[in-house]
Amino acid sequence: MVKSISVLGCTGSIGRQTIAVAEHIGMPVVALTANRKIDLLEEQARRLHPRFVAVYDEQAAKQFKIAVADTDIQVDSGIEGLIRAATMEETDCVVTAVSGAVGLKPTLAAIDGKKRIALANKETLVCAGDIVMARAAEKGAEIVPVDSEHSAIFQCLMGRAKGALRKILLTGSG
């Protein structure tokens, strides 16, 4: 049972939907990350009261830190900030909804921390799927796909014996 989450990519579509669900069920959000949309990030941070926020873009991080100076929110930046958000001790589940290969290092860090990973960042698996999945198996971390087609396939495969299918063809929309 997930008790708290970190949302990497909180200002994007999946991140916003994740936050809406977390608020609806009363789940604490320990950490948030964003790239540059600090106005929306500030609104989310003031509403959710996370312990930690990371802004990937260094300049935007400086602006965000000033904007939330009246709070006790810890702020960091860059890839180090994303990794810290993914490995917060209080976090049970890391929602990885950042865009691009930038999601790889935080996902691997979350795996090393034995977190449950709700993966919406397809590029992580495209770039290093064998490494990511092997490390998850080794560490005992669970990866659950949460983005549209990938989640649908995951749900269809539930209950099937491992290796029951040889191949799945998935078309891309982008």
Side-chain angles (χ1 to χ4, degrees):
M1 175 77 178
V2 174
K3 297 177 191 146
S4 62
I5 61 173
S6 288
V7 183
L8 282 58
C10 65
T11 60
S13 176
I14 292 170
R16 291 189 318 269
Q17 291 174 50
T18 299
I19 287 171
V21 171
E23 286 181 303
H24 181 73
I25 64 174
M27 179 176 290
V29 176
V30 175
L32 296 171
T33 78
N35 185 22
R36 288 191 190 103
K37 295 180 184 172
I38 61 171
D39 290 340
L40 176 55
L41 179 60
E42 180 183 357
E43 176 189 314
Q44 292 172 335
R46 290 187 181 279
R47 200 171 69 239
L48 297 167
H49 309 287
R51 200 183 101 180
F52 178 75
V53 171
V55 182
Y56 187 71
D57 181 85
E58 302 285 340
Q59 284 305 109
K62 290 175 186 174
Q63 295 171 355
F64 181 79
K65 196 168 194 168
I66 293 167
V68 296
D70 62 325
T71 72
D72 61 352
I73 297 171
Q74 298 172 30
V75 180
D76 202 351
S77 62
I79 193 67
E80 297 81 14
L82 271 70
I83 291 169
R84 183 172 171 202
T87 57
M88 302 285 292
E89 188 174 325
E90 310 91 316
T91 297
D92 297 320
C93 179
V94 178
V95 178
T96 307
V98 296
S99 295
V102 72
L104 179 58
K105 286 184 179 181
T107 300
L108 289 171
I111 288 169
D112 289 342
K114 298 182 177 144
K115 306 294 185 188
R116 182 178 208 195
I117 298 155
L119 187 66
N121 173 269
K122 296 176 276 288
E123 294 86 357
T124 291
L125 295 181
V126 170
C127 293
D130 290 343
I131 294 166
V132 170
M133 297 310 289
R135 175 116 29 119
E138 173 192 331
K139 300 289 184 175
E142 181 182 16
I143 298 177
V144 179
V146 294
D147 191 22
S148 59
E149 294 93 351
H150 305 93
S151 181
I153 289 171
F154 174 75
Q155 292 172 50
C156 288
L157 293 175
M158 291 180 74
R160 289 188 182 261
K162 189 170 185 162
L165 294 177
R166 278 193 4 246
K167 184 189 282 188
I168 296 172
L169 297 176
L170 177 64
T171 60
S173 59

